[in-house]
Amino acid sequence: MPFNHNYQEPKVIAEIGCNHMGNIKIAKELIDLAKESGAKYVKFQKRNNKELLTKEQYEAKHPVAHNSYGETYGEHREFLEFNVAQNKELKEYCDNIGMIYSASMWDVTSAKEMITLEPEFLKVPSACNNNFDMLKVLRDDFTGQVQLSVGMTTKDEIEEIVQFFEQTNQAKSRLLIYSCTSGYPVPAEDVALLEINWLYDNYGNRVNQIGFSGHHLGVALDIAAYTLGARWIERHFTKDRTWKGTDHAASLEPQGLQKLVRDLNATYKALNFKDSEILLIEQAQRDKLKNRK
């Protein structure tokens, strides 16, 4: 086994991302709903859109018009973007109710800005894990954990990322890698859960932790991912999957998140060995039912 049965209590991140639809009141409501569902972590996204997008991309039409919040893709992204002060407000809101705030970084400027909030961890999405200028900021100027997804990433690229953190002896102490398939939503056959085993075989002793970031439907595959050794489970989260936006359809609603947390915690309790050959709960049944010669 890749992790020697060393199971830890599962950590569940409710990724609100941009599902707040640009409304900070909705963002806070989603934090409350995540807490009520049993999650302890919430995550947003931070972009500097003019740095991240080319002029052509910024001025182009949104590829799915009915999900757009602006005339152009740039206007759409700006509508959904919270500034640093708003993110600070969200972090303070989390701090006040016992939740842990984080955000995904999409560019160098955003990484520098979010570091000032001193979160417990910051995330690098699959789309940006080859931005080594941003990785350098997170590696050299940030002291928290760096979480990084490896969807749409080759094995050679994963090795390059890990080596980049090993250059300063920080991969083992600070880098968490998420097994991930980039799609919204992802069919079961493309989730490729055994990639978790591959990550353990190749990086179990080189990085801090290994997790699973899922974009599938339902929660069964998350339980399997945890059983395979994923320490963290990250899922998109919304109040209503029919809301306007591209991520809602691949998100869990409160009832789904509640079920996920419940089932993960039950699985954690169940993943052990019997502490005696006949458990106390079995003894009455043994006395009543087991045939004896």
Side-chain angles (χ1 to χ4, degrees):
M1 298 294 288
F3 41 89
N4 299 320
H5 303 288
N6 182 27
Y7 290 100
Q8 300 171 8
E9 187 173 356
K11 297 179 175 67
V12 178
I13 299 175
E15 182 176 1
I16 295 169
C18 298
N19 283 345
H20 49 70
M21 301 185 292
N23 186 318
I24 200 160
K25 182 178 178 181
I26 293 176
K28 291 178 179 179
E29 181 184 11
L30 288 169
I31 294 170
D32 291 337
L33 289 171
K35 181 179 181 180
E36 292 169 10
S37 300
K40 297 179 181 177
Y41 304 85
V42 292
K43 185 166 68 64
F44 294 88
Q45 296 180 10
K46 188 72 180 74
R47 292 172 169 88
N48 182 308
N49 293 302
K50 289 188 175 179
E51 177 180 336
L52 180 64
L53 301 171
T54 65
K55 185 175 185 295
E56 291 74 18
Q57 289 171 326
Y58 194 93
E59 295 177 353
K61 297 292 185 181
H62 192 289
V64 185
H66 67 266
N67 279 327
S68 183
Y69 286 92
E71 290 296 318
T72 66
Y73 186 69
E75 289 178 3
H76 163 78
R77 289 258 49 107
E78 300 292 6
F79 183 92
L80 294 173
E81 190 65 32
F82 288 149
N83 60 32
V84 177
Q86 289 170 311
N87 275 278
K88 182 179 180 182
E89 181 180 344
L90 291 173
K91 183 178 184 299
E92 290 173 348
Y93 187 81
C94 287
D95 292 344
N96 288 335
I97 66 169
M99 292 290 282
I100 296 175
Y101 160 96
S102 186
S104 291
M105 304 295 97
W106 286 72
D107 53 81
V108 170
T109 297
S110 296
K112 290 179 177 179
E113 289 173 341
M114 292 298 98
I115 285 172
T116 65
L117 302 185
E118 299 182 342
E120 183 176 307
F121 65 91
L122 289 172
K123 169 78 183 296
V124 179
S126 298
C128 304
N129 65 22
N130 62 343
N131 184 341
F132 283 89
D133 290 336
M134 182 177 75
L135 294 183
K136 188 175 189 302
V137 171
L138 294 173
R139 185 192 69 179
D140 297 349
D141 301 333
F142 179 52
T143 59
Q145 186 183 63
V146 177
Q147 300 192 353
L148 182 145
S149 280
V150 293
M152 52 180 164
T153 304
T154 68
K155 288 177 168 53
D156 285 345
E157 289 169 340
I158 295 172
E159 177 64 22
E160 186 179 8
I161 292 164
V162 174
Q163 287 187 12
F164 182 75
F165 281 86
E166 288 179 332
Q167 290 173 8
T168 54
N169 298 314
Q170 296 188 68
K172 181 66 176 174
S173 62
R174 297 184 54 220
L175 181 63
L176 181 152
I177 292 180
Y178 282 106
S179 177
C180 178
T181 297
S182 297
Y184 303 88
V186 178
E189 60 269 25
D190 290 333
V191 173
L193 285 175
L194 294 184
E195 291 296 312
I196 295 171
N197 285 349
W198 182 86
L199 287 172
Y200 267 102
D201 289 342
N202 290 274
Y203 298 107
N205 294 320
R206 294 174 62 186
V207 301
N208 185 247
Q209 288 181 312
I210 290 168
F212 173 68
S213 179
H215 303 130
H216 53 283
L217 301 178
V219 299
L221 302 185
D222 304 280
I223 308 304
Y226 173 69
T227 305
L228 287 169
R231 307 301 192 199
W232 295 68
I233 304 293
E234 176 186 83
R235 291 297 304 271
H236 284 269
F237 178 64
T238 186
K239 183 179 179 180
D240 186 339
R241 294 177 65 243
T242 68
W243 276 354
K244 180 179 175 179
T246 54
D247 288 346
H248 295 287
S251 300
L252 294 177
E253 293 176 340
Q255 185 177 7
L257 182 61
Q258 184 178 22
K259 182 179 180 182
L260 173 63
V261 174
R262 180 200 68 191
D263 290 354
L264 281 170
N265 287 334
T267 303
Y268 170 60
K269 292 177 181 177
L271 284 168
N272 54 42
F273 296 98
K274 291 184 175 182
D275 58 16
S276 63
E277 291 188 356
I278 307 298
L279 293 174
L280 181 62
I281 197 173
E282 297 178 301
Q283 188 63 54
Q285 305 306 316
R286 178 181 173 88
D287 293 344
K288 178 181 178 181
L289 302 173
K290 199 160 184 81
N291 293 327
R292 296 181 181 179
K293 294 182 179 180

